[in-house]
Amino acid sequence: MSEASGTRQSALIQVEQLTRVFFVGGEEVRALRGISFGVTRGEWVAIIGQSGSGKSTLMNVLGCLDTPTSGRYLLNGKDVSRMDDDDLAVIRNVEIGFIFQTFQLLPRETALANVELPLVYRGVPARERRERAKAALDKVQLTHRMHHRPNELSGGQRQRVAIARALVSEPSMLLADEPTGNLDSATGEEIVRLFEQLHKAGHTLVLVTHEPKLAARCPRAIRLSDGEVVADGPGREVALGTGAGVAAVTGGA
Amino acid sequence: MRAFWDNLRLALGTFLGNPLRSLLTLVGIVIGVATVITMMALIEGLSIKVNRDLGGLGAHTFEVTKWPSGFGRFNWAKYAKRKDLRMEEVRAIQEGCPSVLAATPMDDQGGQKVATSARETRPSVRVVGTEPSYPLTSGVSVASGRFFNETEALDGRPVVVLGLDVADALFPGLDPLGYEVRIQGRPFLVIGVLQKRGSFMGMMSLDNQVSLPMKVFQQLYGKNRSLDIDIQARDGQVFQKAQDEVTHLLRRRRDLTPRDANDFEIHTNESMTASFNQLSKVIALAGVGVCLLSLVVGGIGILNIMLVSVTERTREIGIRKALGAKRRRILGQFATEAILLSLIGGTLGVALGFGLTFLGQWVLLFPMQVPAWAVMLSLVMSCGVGLVFGIYPAARAAKLDPVEAMRSE
Ligand SMILES: Nc1ncnc2c1ncn2[C@@H]1O[C@H](COP(=O)(O)OP(=O)(O)OP(=O)(O)O)[C@@H](O)[C@H]1O
Ligand SMILES: [Mg+2]
């Protein structure tokens, strides 16, 4: 705990006692039940857990696509847990690069136009955003496909376009919810390598995966179960269920 | 401003992505706007016709006709039973009304051809049969040569006075006096050319006519037609008195009892203006009704297609919001789309309105002219419809939750 409070100042993400309750037909679904952890700049964290354990729900809150029912979420020192729709839109635009399992590209626009989109909503002039979008596509080695539409690209290429789109606005962090979930293993590996490069280049990454092998490659992993953090520690240990990090966290929560 | 151009580009993209569906949606607006344009053109045209008719009467002159005002012959059956106005009545007025200076009978036949050995007019010339007092009562003067005199009128000599358009068409660059023209195959000697009276946008020109002695006119076109009689009072003071005298005389000649209404019409500049105003009010009201109705129908079309569009593009909206589009931006995007759509409809409606007006002018020979302000009004109105009916779907789009929206298919 003393270590946690020491990093609090430099923490990029600090969540405290986050809950998220859905109401479905008069019934409460408690998807998150009091989650606390921090992520510092430059970390690469995997979030793992069984289906339905609340990974996507947590990612949506972290990505400011959703707001917690209770608890606090400090992003870059700002409390974003009580912001309204429009303020969150600005946070999403400036601070966050979200990568989705199903890519979420606009089907009628070219790769380049898709990558430009965050800059459009930031009010960047057309020339500049074009240049920056090209540079982002270059980082994912897709400049030769920039005038193609999503349906003219392979799954791996689509995900690389989505990553370029997440990178283009130079956000504080990249969030990816099962980015390889819709890809075959070889293509998935390609994407993971890309993440490794981004991590080396200093990007902060939070990545949901259900593949223990992938989580084991991450410096840190958090395991969720039934809306609670049950393990938080080095990726290899958390992913393979060894290590002592588990007890420490459950005790702390 | 940048947001506006981005929105416009997106809206155009959507329109071009599905042009047929968009166009079908716009039928209501197109019809609404075309109605406005055509109605306004009609009213404008009528007011031009009124001006011309008013211009057609000289100083303190009134006109007696069988038919009520010349802007449409409603209740045809009722007026058809009236007695025709004949030459005998013209003579009676000339002799029996002390306040009357001149009474000029007029009859006309439209759609005539006038020809020389070398040239021929289009079959659109109005041939007027009248008497020598015509220049006086119609307030028009002769530019060159002379009008026909009493002797020519009495004898029914084959002489003709050309309107300027006819003179120009048949004798370009020449003085037509002394030449011969043919009407209905009969030769006529040109003895004069009337002064230019003005043409209204080159159609229904007042100068596209020729005048002949009434006697010859009746030989060509028959006698059994009701005449119009233009009557000039001796001066402004006896204008009303002259009308009373003529009314009395005609009522007496037609054996009307005090209970009977007049079975003829008296038009003055004022009465024509009044009847025009009344008519144009009716047309304007009908026009406003039809147009409001079709604009509402058009608006519902816009509402419908925008709701469909928002539903179809829920995922797109979710993605845009996830990437940082604020509510206002999404609202703007869809409102721009609705406005662009209805503006395209408005433009097509204006084009159709011009088309109908053109048809009205050349096929029905109805005087019509589209006033510039009607075009402006229509376009502004279409924008309004787009905004009013597009705002709800746009607001719905703006409020979508990004997570849910991205999950939709
Ligand atoms: N919009 C929602 N409305 C109601 N319940 C929801 C909603 N979203 C998630 N839930 C519920 O919250 C719980 C956590 O769901 P979540 O999608 O976060 O799981 P997950 O860990 O991402 O699972 P998976 O590995 O299958 O993607 C589940 O029980 C789910 O049914
Ligand atoms: Mg999930």
Side-chain angles (χ1 to χ4, degrees):
Chain A
M1 277 284 115
S2 63
E3 195 201 314
S5 41
T7 56
R8 187 163 288 178
Q9 289 312 310
S10 60
L12 179 60
I13 290 177
Q14 187 68 46
V15 296
E16 288 159 15
Q17 292 301 321
L18 273 194
T19 68
R20 178 66 168 100
V21 181
F22 295 103
F23 296 91
V24 186
E27 222 176 293
E28 281 189 6
V29 178
R30 304 166 137 267
L32 301 178
R33 314 170 174 239
I35 288 192
S36 307
F37 65 89
V39 176
T40 48
R41 224 170 276 280
E43 266 197 293
W44 182 7
V45 183
I47 293 178
I48 56 176
Q50 287 181 333
S51 184
S53 58
K55 304 183 297 292
S56 294
T57 307
L58 176 61
M59 286 302 267
N60 290 340
V61 172
L62 294 182
C64 294
L65 290 164
D66 192 12
T67 46
T69 309
S70 72
R72 226 152 68 102
Y73 172 16
L74 298 182
L75 173 60
N76 241 340
K78 270 175 284 182
D79 187 353
V80 297
S81 40
R82 298 286 170 267
M83 282 188 174
D84 71 14
D85 202 20
D86 277 353
D87 291 335
L88 287 177
V90 175
I91 300 287
R92 290 196 291 266
N93 186 251
V94 176
E95 305 279 2
I96 294 162
F98 214 122
I99 297 151
F100 304 90
Q101 179 175 359
T102 51
F103 321 134
Q104 304 289 13
L105 299 174
L106 296 183
R108 287 184 307 165
E109 305 280 358
T110 61
L112 188 65
N114 266 289
V115 174
E116 276 184 46
L117 212 50
L119 302 180
V120 168
Y121 294 124
R122 197 186 284 192
V124 175
R127 269 184 96 85
E128 187 190 333
R129 70 191 188 213
R130 181 156 284 249
E131 289 314 309
R132 286 172 66 176
K134 278 184 190 163
L137 280 168
D138 190 41
K139 281 188 202 157
V140 299
Q141 287 106 46
L142 266 185
T143 32
H144 62 299
R145 291 280 182 271
M146 66 183 177
H147 296 304
H148 290 232
R149 279 170 226 285
N151 64 1
E152 298 156 354
L153 299 172
S154 73
Q157 287 172 332
R158 285 183 215 183
Q159 195 57 300
R160 273 149 65 194
V161 172
I163 293 171
R165 184 179 65 184
L167 286 171
V168 76
S169 56
E170 288 162 9
S172 303
M173 60 173 172
L174 295 177
L175 301 179
D177 189 351
E178 302 209 37
T180 59
N182 271 17
L183 303 173
D184 61 59
S185 54
T187 322
E189 180 56 30
E190 219 176 88
I191 298 296
V192 174
R193 289 233 186 82
L194 194 50
F195 282 124
E196 275 170 350
Q197 280 172 28
L198 293 171
H199 173 59
K200 283 205 189 94
H203 288 275
T204 310
L205 291 168
V206 179
L207 163 81
V208 167
T209 181
H210 59 265
E211 291 173 58
K213 263 200 265 173
L214 172 49
R217 284 161 75 176
C218 300
R220 179 183 171 196
I222 295 174
R223 180 183 290 278
L224 294 189
S225 174
D226 206 10
E228 284 177 298
V229 175
V230 293
D232 184 349
R236 170 166 275 286
E237 292 171 23
V238 173
L240 306 175
T242 59
V246 179
V249 169
T250 32
Chain B
M1 203 52 206
R2 196 173 295 131
F4 172 77
W5 289 114
D6 280 329
N7 283 340
L8 197 63
R9 191 184 59 84
L10 285 175
L12 259 176
T14 313
F15 179 79
L16 296 175
N18 213 335
L20 184 64
R21 186 173 87 175
S22 308
L23 288 177
L24 288 177
T25 313
L26 295 177
V27 167
I29 289 207
V30 172
I31 291 175
V33 167
T35 312
V36 176
I37 295 287
T38 314
M39 291 288 176
M40 292 309 162
L42 189 61
I43 292 176
E44 184 81 353
L46 283 174
S47 100
I48 287 170
K49 180 166 154 53
V50 164
N51 286 334
R52 181 195 63 190
D53 285 359
L54 297 187
L57 288 182
H60 34 87
T61 301
F62 57 96
E63 188 171 61
V64 178
T65 62
K66 172 178 174 178
W67 299 96
S69 72
F71 316 122
R73 306 205 149 159
F74 15 77
N75 217 340
W76 187 84
K78 176 177 155 197
Y79 298 112
K81 277 190 241 129
R82 287 176 165 182
K83 266 190 178 166
D84 289 341
L85 289 158
R86 292 300 169 92
M87 280 309 286
E88 299 87 74
E89 286 169 312
V90 176
R91 297 288 171 249
I93 290 168
Q94 284 167 344
E95 278 149 28
C97 299
S99 302
V100 168
L101 180 67
T104 312
M106 289 190 311
D107 193 358
D108 69 322
Q109 180 68 44
Q112 299 300 294
K113 269 189 206 171
V114 182
T116 63
S117 48
R119 290 168 197 276
E120 192 177 66
T121 63
R122 296 199 308 139
S124 62
V125 177
R126 179 169 169 248
V127 175
V128 177
T130 185
E131 293 205 327
S133 54
Y134 177 81
L136 189 66
T137 49
S138 61
V140 66
S141 44
V142 178
S144 74
R146 59 180 180 81
F147 210 78
F148 48 83
N149 57 32
E150 292 295 343
T151 322
E152 287 160 333
L154 224 59
D155 295 355
R157 299 259 179 86
V159 290
V160 67
V161 178
L162 303 182
L164 205 59
D165 286 355
V166 179
D168 285 346
L170 296 180
F171 304 99
L174 288 178
D175 181 0
L177 297 186
Y179 283 93
E180 190 184 89
V181 298
R182 288 184 168 266
I183 300 167
Q184 295 276 323
R186 276 184 58 171
F188 288 84
L189 180 67
V190 178
I191 58 167
V193 176
L194 289 182
Q195 160 204 61
K196 186 171 180 64
R197 300 167 82 180
S199 79
F200 295 96
M201 351 158 3
M203 58 147 198
M204 299 289 287
S205 168
L206 294 176
D207 298 311
N208 191 23
Q209 70 160 58
V210 300
S211 318
L212 319 170
M214 181 60 88
K215 198 160 181 178
V216 192
F217 181 92
Q218 290 184 333
Q219 287 164 10
L220 287 180
Y221 300 109
K223 275 188 181 181
N224 295 326
R225 303 154 56 112
S226 185
L227 303 172
D228 293 346
I229 310 172
D230 282 8
I231 299 165
Q232 188 171 43
R234 287 193 183 279
D235 57 54
Q237 253 110 57
V238 297
F239 186 51
Q240 189 56 49
K241 195 160 173 244
Q243 288 178 50
D244 294 343
E245 288 171 7
V246 170
T247 307
H248 258 93
L249 182 134
L250 289 175
R251 288 182 67 89
R252 212 173 42 247
R253 284 182 62 92
R254 292 167 171 227
D255 298 323
L256 298 183
T257 69
R259 272 201 313 267
D260 294 328
N262 289 346
D263 62 350
F264 51 88
E265 301 288 326
I266 290 192
H267 308 285
T268 62
N269 287 353
E270 291 75 33
S271 75
M272 284 198 278
T273 311
S275 72
F276 162 72
N277 284 342
Q278 194 190 352
L279 183 74
S280 67
K281 235 181 262 165
V282 171
I283 295 177
L285 227 62
V288 165
V290 173
C291 137
L292 280 183
L293 194 74
S294 36
L295 283 181
V296 168
V297 171
I300 289 171
I302 296 279
L303 179 69
N304 179 52
I305 196 167
M306 290 310 296
L307 284 174
V308 169
S309 179
V310 168
T311 307
E312 279 178 352
R313 288 153 68 196
T314 300
R315 210 158 110 107
E316 173 194 325
I317 296 161
I319 294 172
R320 289 179 184 281
K321 289 197 78 171
L323 296 177
K326 292 189 189 178
R327 287 188 177 196
R328 211 175 340 122
R329 188 62 183 262
I330 301 290
L331 187 84
Q333 181 188 335
F334 282 87
T336 304
E337 202 173 303
I339 292 174
L340 179 79
L341 207 57
S342 50
L343 200 55
I344 288 173
T347 309
L348 291 176
V350 168
L352 182 62
F354 269 98
L356 289 175
T357 302
F358 185 81
L359 268 182
Q361 285 169 12
W362 293 107
V363 178
L364 307 174
L365 290 178
F366 220 84
M368 292 167 95
Q369 182 178 19
V370 179
W373 61 263
V375 175
M376 294 305 296
L377 178 79
S378 306
L379 296 181
V380 168
M381 240 165 36
S382 328
C383 283
V385 166
L387 189 63
V388 167
F389 288 89
I391 205 81
Y392 169 68
R396 237 166 82 153
K399 269 193 278 202
L400 285 176
D401 174 66
V403 176
E404 305 237 313
M406 279 192 294
R407 214 178 274 148
S408 88
E409 203 20 75

